[in-house]
Amino acid sequence: MSGGIAGKIIVITGASSGLGEAAARHLAAQGATVVLGARRADRIEALATALTEAGLKAKAIVTDVVDRDQVKNLVDTAVAEFGRVDVMLNNAGLMPLAPLERLKIDEWDQMIDVNIKGVLYGVAAALPHMKAQKSGHIINVSSVYGHVVDPGATVYCATKFAVRALSEGLRKEVKPYNIRTTIVSPGAVSTELLEHISEKDIQEGTKEFVRTIAIGADTFARVVAFAVNEPDDVDVNEILFRPTAQPV
């Protein structure tokens, strides 16, 4: 069966930094065309320019995943320009940690909008094209916190548990269309994610813990590449990885 990364059209949300940027760089280097979606136009345009100047294939489209029309435009533009979408990497996410008793309700709403609805909008945008193609691969990013619940991370954990649940339901529903699904659940990875924590005491404590054990975002990129690279008859459904030193 065919497989591999070279020649595939891969759409990535949250591509302006961290996990998304690392995945974009790695997959483009492996011969994929990467279509980059993120809110920060300057960041994704600079990334797309750097990749194309290096002889790789990339296109930047400003996208806020809380707006379903923008996510649809991201995928539809990829298909219009390149003829298809082979992989949808729903990577955009937020992690403003705080105990429930602090009642950070606006942050709860934001996490639900980005971490759950943003993933669903990505699925909704890609699925019709993949059904028509009778092929495709949807990769949703959960977390170690999609497997365990820690005090202070309750709502974030709930959103990442939800990503795993909707991904498993998707896996079962898309079998008639030859579509693959993968959940990637990272542990402590060095990214900007901790900057989303508005409670300074929690941010400082989390940063101190993560600083001692975190692994690079290139690890996530290699994990994604592994799932994409497998032959079409192999469906890598879930990958959970942590730094070796991480106990949680």
Side-chain angles (χ1 to χ4, degrees), residues 95-99 101-104 107 152 194-206:
M95 192 182 72
L97 303 179
E101 66 182 0
R102 298 194 187 182
L103 299 180
K104 307 292 286 188
E107 293 182 354
L194 302 185
E195 301 305 322
H196 302 150
I197 302 174
S198 62
E199 301 293 272
K200 293 306 179 184
D201 59 328
I202 297 172
Q203 185 187 63
E204 291 171 5
T206 306

Side-chain angles (χ1 to χ4, degrees), residues 26-241:
H26 186 70
L27 294 166
Q30 300 300 310
T33 296
V34 292
V35 181
L36 313 173
R39 292 175 301 153
R40 293 179 288 184
D42 56 335
R43 294 287 293 268
I44 55 169
E45 288 167 2
L47 176 57
T49 298
L51 293 173
T52 55
E53 288 179 349
L56 306 175
K57 297 178 181 179
K59 181 179 180 65
I61 302 170
V62 176
T63 306
D64 187 341
V65 299
V66 305
D67 186 325
R68 63 182 178 181
D69 290 334
Q70 290 188 33
V71 181
K72 185 176 187 299
N73 176 67
L74 171 66
V75 178
D76 288 352
T77 301
V79 173
E81 184 154 337
F82 302 111
R84 65 187 190 277
V85 55
D86 296 306
V87 180
M88 180 71 196
L89 174 53
N90 290 307
N91 164 73
L94 296 171
M95 192 182 72
L97 303 179
L100 288 172
E101 66 182 0
R102 298 194 187 182
L103 299 180
K104 307 292 286 188
I105 297 172
D106 288 345
E107 293 182 354
W108 302 351
D109 289 341
Q110 188 179 34
M111 280 189 281
I112 290 167
D113 286 344
V114 174
N115 296 359
I116 302 177
K117 292 170 70 175
V119 170
L120 286 169
Y121 292 161
V123 171
L127 192 53
H129 296 292
M130 292 181 177
K131 284 176 62 178
Q133 296 167 179
K134 289 289 195 291
S135 68
H137 191 170
I138 296 176
I139 303 175
N140 296 331
V141 179
S142 180
S143 169
V144 165
Y145 273 155
H147 296 256
V148 299
V149 179
D150 263 2
T154 301
V155 178
Y156 179 73
C157 293
T159 66
K160 292 303 186 176
F161 270 81
V163 169
R164 292 184 60 228
L166 70 89
S167 300
E168 174 61 6
L170 177 68
R171 180 190 71 80
K172 293 180 177 180
E173 292 185 16
V174 298
K175 291 306 172 186
Y177 311 110
N178 194 40
I179 297 171
R180 303 192 294 174
T181 65
T182 303
I183 308 162
V184 179
S185 296
V189 179
S190 181
T191 71
E192 296 177 5
L193 198 61
L194 302 185
E195 301 305 322
H196 302 150
I197 302 174
S198 62
E199 301 293 272
K200 293 306 179 184
D201 59 328
I202 297 172
Q203 185 187 63
E204 291 171 5
T206 306
K207 280 185 173 181
E208 181 60 30
F209 168 72
V210 169
R211 188 181 298 116
T212 63
I213 64 169
I215 51 181
D218 58 308
T219 307
F220 171 83
R222 294 194 303 273
V223 166
V224 169
F226 168 75
V228 173
N229 192 56
E230 284 299 288
D232 292 343
D233 62 345
V234 178
D235 197 6
V236 179
N237 299 131
E238 185 162 12
I239 302 174
L240 167 62
F241 71 97

